[in-house]
Amino acid sequence: MSRVGGETRNRFHPSLWESQYLAPYAMHSSQSRGRRYPEPPHPYRSPYQRDRDRIIHCAAFRRLSGKMQVFTGELGDYHRTRLTHTFEVAGIARTIGRALRLNEDLIEALALLHDIGHPPFGHAGEDALNECLEPWGGFSHNRFALTLAEELEHRYHDFPGLNLTWEVLEGQAIRAGDEAAVRSGPLLEVQAVEAADSITYNAHDTDDAIKLGLVRIEELAEVPLIRSLLETIRQRRPALPPALLRKTLVHDLIDVQVTDLIERGAAELERWRFPDAQAARKSPFRLGPSPSLAAQKAELERFLSERVYRHPQLLAVRAKAQKRLRALFQFFVRHPQLMPERFVARIEQVGLQRAVGDYLAGMTDRYCDEQCRRYGCGEG
Ligand code: MG
C-alpha cells in the first residue's frame, strides 16, 4: 500500500466517493447540516453510514422483530413483521437510490428509521394509544420515532438519543407532518423511501393475504394490475403450481412498480437538471409512479383495504389487542411506580400520561400481552 499525505490509497474516502458517483441533485454528505451535538468526522464511514449503524444497534430497532406489520403472530410465522417490512423497504429504496444516483447511505438510514416508532399491534395499537392520549396531544408513530431517536435511546455518555444527522431527522419530521420540515420539501432520498414503503407493503400484503388464506388469487384478479400481471405470467409459464404463482406474482408486482418509478424518475430528472439537492426539494417534482401505474396502484390499495385490512378475522384480533392496550394504559396511569425507573423519572419532564404512552409504545406485542396477563388487564 502506498501512502499519500499520511493516508493509505486503499482507504475509502466517503465524500470523495460521493462526489464521483452521486448525481448533483443527490444529498452529498459534505453538504450536511451536521448533528445537534457536533462530532468529529469518522475516517471511513460517511455521516449517513454512521446514522444507519446507530439505528441498527439501538434497542427500538431490534424490537421491531416483535411488532406486527398487518398480521399478528397468532396467524403463523410466514408473514412480515415490522422488522422484515423495514428491511424490504430499505432494499427497494436502495435499488431506486442507486439507479438514480442518489445517496444510498442516507436512504438506508431513513428507511431503517421510518417505522421505528410503531407501538405494539401496528396501526390498531397506534389508534388505541392515540385515543388514550387524545387530551394530551395524541400519539403518532412517526412522531414517536423522533422521540426515540432524540430522547429515549440512550447509548452515549455525551448526549441523549442517537445524535443523528439533521437530514435523517428532518426526513422523519416530514413523515410526522412537522410544518417547517414539510415546507422545506423532502429531499429526493426522502421521496425514494416514501415510494419504496408503498411499493413494499402493496406487494407483501398481497403475498401474506393469499398465503394466510384471507383472499384467493382469483379474487385478487379483479384488480386490473394483478390481472394483467397474472396474464403475462401465465403466458410465460402456463403451468405454475399455486405457491410459485403467488411468489412470481409478488416478484413481478415489485418489479413493475420499481421499474416504472426508476424509468419515470430518470427521465424527469434528466429534464429538470437540478444543480443540487436543494433545488430538487424546492421544485414541484416528486419521485413517484407514472400516472397510469398510480391509478392501478390505487385500485390495488382499495382492494387491500376493503378485503384484507378490514377482514373480519383481522378486525377481531385488532379489537382485542386495542382493548388490552387501553386497559394497560389505564393501569399504569394508576400505578406509574410499576414502570421502569427511567419512565417514572420521565413523568416530571413530559407528564404522567405521556410517560405511560412512551413506555407502552416501546413494547413488543408479546411483552405487552405478558404485562396484560401479569396485571390482569383487558381480559373478559
Ligand atoms: Mg413502513
Side-chain angles (χ1 to χ4, degrees):
M1 267 192 288
S2 54
R3 297 178 75 85
V4 182
E7 293 284 346
T8 66
R9 250 188 214 164
N10 291 343
R11 180 176 277 182
F12 175 72
H13 293 268
S15 56
L16 189 62
W17 185 90
E18 286 183 7
S19 66
Q20 280 174 358
Y21 290 100
L22 301 190
Y25 50 72
M27 181 64 216
H28 292 242
S29 64
S30 56
Q31 306 294 315
S32 171
R33 288 179 65 177
R35 307 176 189 277
R36 173 171 297 177
Y37 305 94
E39 295 178 54
H42 192 275
Y44 50 83
R45 286 185 302 160
S46 81
Y48 305 134
Q49 279 181 292
R50 293 173 90 180
D51 286 351
R52 174 206 57 203
D53 295 342
R54 289 173 186 206
I55 296 162
I56 286 193
H57 288 273
C58 82
F61 184 80
R62 287 192 298 280
R63 291 202 186 103
L64 292 176
S65 71
K67 298 195 182 210
M68 63 176 268
Q69 175 70 17
V70 173
F71 309 103
T72 53
E74 297 154 45
L75 294 169
D77 56 10
Y78 175 83
H79 57 268
R80 275 70 178 175
T81 64
R82 198 57 67 178
L83 182 69
T84 62
H85 160 76
T86 296
F87 280 129
E88 289 186 30
V89 173
I92 288 175
R94 285 182 55 183
T95 297
I96 295 168
R98 193 178 300 186
L100 298 177
R101 296 171 57 216
L102 299 175
N103 194 325
E104 230 177 297
D105 296 333
L106 173 57
I107 282 181
E108 193 178 17
L110 287 162
L112 296 178
L113 185 74
H114 91 282
D115 266 354
I116 209 170
H118 257 289
F121 311 118
H123 288 286
E126 175 165 36
D127 291 345
L129 269 187
N130 187 35
E131 206 181 285
C132 294
L133 284 165
E134 215 206 303
W136 298 277
F139 177 86
S140 131
H141 77 273
N142 283 322
R143 227 182 310 139
F144 187 61
L146 290 169
T147 307
L148 282 166
E150 293 183 292
E151 297 173 49
L152 287 174
E153 281 293 333
H154 216 140
R155 296 186 56 76
Y156 303 95
H157 181 261
D158 297 335
F159 43 76
L162 303 174
N163 201 26
L164 302 176
T165 56
W166 170 275
E167 290 72 32
V168 170
L169 292 173
E170 190 198 40
Q172 185 61 32
I174 289 178
R175 290 181 67 86
D178 177 273
E179 274 178 35
V182 170
R183 245 195 329 272
S184 309
L187 290 166
L188 290 167
E189 284 78 3
V190 174
Q191 298 176 38
V193 173
E194 198 65 28
D197 192 20
S198 133
I199 292 173
T200 307
Y201 62 66
N202 280 342
H204 69 43
D205 292 347
T206 300
D207 185 30
D208 290 348
I210 305 171
K211 171 75 178 170
L212 292 172
L214 300 177
V215 288
R216 288 178 299 120
I217 260 191
E218 297 72 34
E219 295 174 271
L220 264 158
E222 286 169 27
V223 179
L225 175 60
I226 301 288
R227 190 164 57 239
S228 82
L229 290 173
L230 283 172
E231 275 164 17
T232 325
I233 295 168
R234 283 179 173 134
Q235 275 165 13
R236 221 162 59 215
R237 305 237 176 238
L240 274 183
L244 262 186
L245 179 63
R246 184 189 79 243
K247 289 173 193 172
T248 312
L249 171 66
V250 174
H251 168 275
D252 288 10
L253 188 53
I254 296 174
D255 195 55
V256 73
Q257 294 182 83
V258 173
T259 305
D260 171 83
L261 188 110
I262 290 172
E263 280 177 1
R264 176 183 170 268
E268 288 286 310
L269 289 167
E270 182 62 36
R271 201 167 66 80
W272 283 91
R273 294 190 176 275
F274 297 119
D276 55 36
Q278 301 309 319
R281 77 191 303 186
K282 287 191 170 74
S283 83
F285 168 73
R286 292 293 175 260
L287 269 181
S290 62
S292 91
L293 198 73
Q296 296 185 69
K297 265 170 74 96
E299 286 190 66
L300 173 60
E301 281 166 11
R302 214 166 16 248
F303 180 96
L304 290 172
S305 123
E306 280 163 21
R307 306 280 281 277
V308 178
Y309 307 144
R310 278 184 244 157
H311 192 283
Q313 215 178 320
L314 250 63
L315 291 182
V317 173
R318 270 184 225 171
K320 276 199 255 170
Q322 289 186 321
K323 197 173 165 194
R324 291 196 294 275
L325 202 53
R326 279 194 291 258
L328 204 55
F329 178 83
Q330 299 304 342
F331 176 81
F332 281 117
V333 166
R334 284 195 306 273
H335 307 283
Q337 72 287 359
L338 292 173
M339 295 195 296
E341 210 176 302
R342 65 194 191 101
F343 287 96
V344 177
R346 199 167 156 73
I347 295 174
E348 212 175 298
Q349 199 189 330
V350 298
L352 170 63
Q353 284 78 7
R354 177 65 54 192
V356 171
D358 288 352
Y359 176 48
L360 294 185
M363 291 182 181
T364 60
D365 302 354
R366 196 189 50 234
Y367 188 72
C368 184
D369 282 344
E370 230 174 76
Q371 293 284 296
C372 284
R373 273 195 298 276
R374 182 166 177 193
Y375 298 119
C377 296
E379 305 301 333

